[in-house]
């Protein structure tokens, strides 16, 4: 046992010696590399503020050049949504109709114009609404979705002043920080219904839809109709009544417009995508001249294979039909007609009495 302990002690001493020599070599190597490395701490280059701004993408904001750096990464999250040419035509039609109907509604000279049509995220728009304002939530019944219309405070006070007989040239008395009264809400609700009726008429040539007034809200949180990240079309309208007026903003989520998306992508009314009417007419005419094989089926029965193998010339097969029963005319496995069997000029004939397949089902098959 003593000899074994002595051998183990010798092995431990040898390992300790090897590890000690390795650490000393590493220390010597690090010391030599430190001696060879030049002292560059005092001469390190420091970036200037202009270089930092250029790196981060904050410089030359107004030059019209494309941003780079961190700002380019941030802006890459913004999605460029597709342009809907027919939607611009619809809102141009809305402006013309509103100019006439608002004159009748207010008995005053009204000028309606479009500021611009843009694509925004719903959450960003809610955070940018200047308060106080009234938010009208409306519903597109045929599309089974909602939209939002914002009426700013200037237009609210102008409409109330006009409808209640305020004199022209007098400045509106604005009492900020107070809730809107019932009279103001009712008058703005009537204005919203006029605008929604005209908007329904503006969409009629493209796709019949009814925009129905749902409710009025003053808190944007209660007017949430979509998720914050959802995309929407924002239309800003300017309404001027001589020395009074304000803005109306109509927000329609892309999900609401999805049922008529293909119609809104048209460059002009009635545009067809990927269809050739001349070729369709030629194909339909040629199909009508096509010959097909039609079989008259008296009856169908199920027979075992054993019985079929026992058939011989002269075997009789009994069918469950009478002389006056109808016969089915089929093309392949598709039944087309039903009729009565008879004879014509020494030939067996079938007089068609019922059509089993309709034109719309032909197109589906």
């Amino acid at each position: 046992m003593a000899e074994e302990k002595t051998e183990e002690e010798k092995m431990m001493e040898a390992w300790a010696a090897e590890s000690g020599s390795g650490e000393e070599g590493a220390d010597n190597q690090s010391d030599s590399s430190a001696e060879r490395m030049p002292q560059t701490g005092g001469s390190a280059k420091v970036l200037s503020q202009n270089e930092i701004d250029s790196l981060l993408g904050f410089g030359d904001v107004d030059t019209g050049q494309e941003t780079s750096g961190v700002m380019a990464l941030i802006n890459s999250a913004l999605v460029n949504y597709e342009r809907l040419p027919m939607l611009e035509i619809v809102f141009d039609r809305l402006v013309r109709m509103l100019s006439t109907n608002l004159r009748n509604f207010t008995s005053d000279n009204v000028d309606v114009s479009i500021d611009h049509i843009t694509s925004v995220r719903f959450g960003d728009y809610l955070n940018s609404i200047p308060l106080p304002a009234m938010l009208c939530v409306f519903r597109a019944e045929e599309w089974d979705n909602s939209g939002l219309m914002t009426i700013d405070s200037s237009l609210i006070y102008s409409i109330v002043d006009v409808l209640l007989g305020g004199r022209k040239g007098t400045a509106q008395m604005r009492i900020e920080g107070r809730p809107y009264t019932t009279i103001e809400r009712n008058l703005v609700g009537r204005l919203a219904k006029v605008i929604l009726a005209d908007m329904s008429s503006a969409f009629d040539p493209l796709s019949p839809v009814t925009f129905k007034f749902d409710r009025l809200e003053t808190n944007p949180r209660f007017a949430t109709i979509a998720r914050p990240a959802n995309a929407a079309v924002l239309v800003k309208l300017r309404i001027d009544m001589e020395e009074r007026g304000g803005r109306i903003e109509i927000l329609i989520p892309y999900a609401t417009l999805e049922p008529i998306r293909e119609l809104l992508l048209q460059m002009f009314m009635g545009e067809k995508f990927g269809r050739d009417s001349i070729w369709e007419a030629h194909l339909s005419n040629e199909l009508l001249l096509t010959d097909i094989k039609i079989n008259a089926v008296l009856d169908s029965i199920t027979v075992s294979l054993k019985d079929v193998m026992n058939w011989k010339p002269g075997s009789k097969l009994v069918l469950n039909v009478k002389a006056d029963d109808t016969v089915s005319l089929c093309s392949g496995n598709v039944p087309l007609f039903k009729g009565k069997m008879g004879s014509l000029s020494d030939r067996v004939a079938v007089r068609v009495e019922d059509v089993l397949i309709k034109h719309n089902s032909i197109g589906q098959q």
Side-chain angles (χ1 to χ4, degrees), residues 50-86:
N50 293 333
E51 292 173 336
I52 295 174
D53 292 341
S54 177
L55 178 64
L56 296 179
F58 294 115
D60 300 333
V61 177
D62 298 330
T63 58
Q65 301 177 354
E66 295 183 357
T67 58
S68 59
V70 176
M71 289 302 295
L73 295 176
I74 295 174
N75 293 333
S76 66
L78 300 177
V79 182
N80 293 324
Y81 301 102
E82 58 187 350
R83 182 171 172 266
L84 304 175
M86 195 54 61

Side-chain angles (χ1 to χ4, degrees), residues 57-112:
F58 294 115
D60 300 333
V61 177
D62 298 330
T63 58
Q65 301 177 354
E66 295 183 357
T67 58
S68 59
V70 176
M71 289 302 295
L73 295 176
I74 295 174
N75 293 333
S76 66
L78 300 177
V79 182
N80 293 324
Y81 301 102
E82 58 187 350
R83 182 171 172 266
L84 304 175
M86 195 54 61
L87 191 63
E88 300 176 3
I89 299 176
V90 168
F91 281 107
D92 284 338
R93 177 181 171 89
L94 172 63
V95 166
R96 294 195 301 269
M97 299 177 67
L98 270 182
S99 299
T100 302
N101 291 332
L102 287 183
R103 288 192 189 102
N104 299 331
F105 178 68
T106 61
S107 300
D108 200 352
N109 293 326
V110 180
D111 184 20
V112 183

Side-chain angles (χ1 to χ4, degrees), residues 117-331:
I117 302 176
T118 57
S119 296
V120 296
R121 294 188 185 275
F122 184 77
D124 296 339
Y125 173 72
L126 281 188
N127 295 331
S128 65
I129 296 177
L131 298 178
M134 281 196 191
L135 292 85
C136 168
V137 178
F138 60 88
R139 188 159 187 83
E141 293 186 343
E142 285 76 4
W143 302 340
D144 193 21
N145 219 319
S146 302
L148 190 65
M149 180 167 56
T150 303
I151 305 172
D152 67 353
S153 59
S154 299
L155 184 59
I156 293 173
Y157 290 116
S158 299
I159 287 294
V160 171
D161 193 26
V162 169
L163 295 181
L164 296 183
R167 291 180 297 178
K168 301 179 182 179
T170 58
Q172 301 103 2
M173 293 181 59
R174 301 183 183 181
I175 305 175
E176 305 293 349
R178 65 164 178 83
Y180 291 106
T181 63
T182 304
I183 294 177
E184 292 171 340
R185 294 175 64 91
N186 290 339
L187 295 179
V188 172
R190 291 175 55 189
L191 171 67
K193 292 177 182 178
V194 171
I195 297 174
L196 293 178
D198 287 345
M199 196 159 67
S200 300
S201 301
F203 273 95
D204 275 343
L206 193 66
S207 175
V209 62
T210 303
F211 294 106
K212 185 177 180 181
F213 176 84
D214 190 2
R215 64 184 186 275
L216 274 177
E217 300 289 350
T218 56
N219 191 337
R221 292 188 302 171
F222 299 148
T224 301
I225 59 173
R227 295 181 180 274
N230 288 4
V233 176
L234 177 62
V235 183
K236 294 187 177 182
L237 304 177
R238 175 72 187 179
I239 298 179
D240 294 313
M241 296 175 288
E242 294 186 355
E243 298 179 0
R244 297 168 287 198
R247 292 181 180 273
I248 290 179
E249 297 178 353
I250 300 174
L251 185 85
I252 304 178
Y254 273 82
T256 303
L257 299 174
E258 185 64 27
I260 61 167
R261 174 177 169 273
E262 292 186 359
L263 297 176
L264 295 176
L265 287 173
Q266 297 177 148
M267 296 299 296
F268 54 89
M269 194 76 70
E271 181 182 5
K272 295 182 180 180
F273 295 99
R275 296 180 59 186
D276 188 350
S277 58
I278 298 176
W279 172 251
E280 288 180 357
H282 174 70
L283 182 61
S284 61
N285 292 333
E286 292 298 324
L287 286 176
L288 293 176
L289 300 176
T290 303
D291 295 331
I292 61 172
K293 184 179 180 180
I294 296 180
N295 300 320
V297 181
L298 298 177
D299 191 15
S300 60
I301 60 175
T302 303
V303 182
S304 64
L305 182 59
K306 180 180 179 181
D307 295 339
V308 174
M309 296 300 295
N310 294 329
W311 284 354
K312 296 178 181 179
S315 298
K316 294 183 179 180
L317 192 65
V318 180
L319 301 178
N320 298 322
V321 292
K322 299 179 182 179
D324 56 347
D325 287 346
T326 58
V327 178
S328 298
L329 298 177
C330 302
S331 176

Side-chain angles (χ1 to χ4, degrees), residues 9-24:
E9 291 176 355
K10 290 180 180 180
M11 292 175 63
M12 293 296 293
E13 290 176 358
W15 289 345
E18 290 179 1
S19 62
S21 62
E23 292 177 356
E24 291 176 359

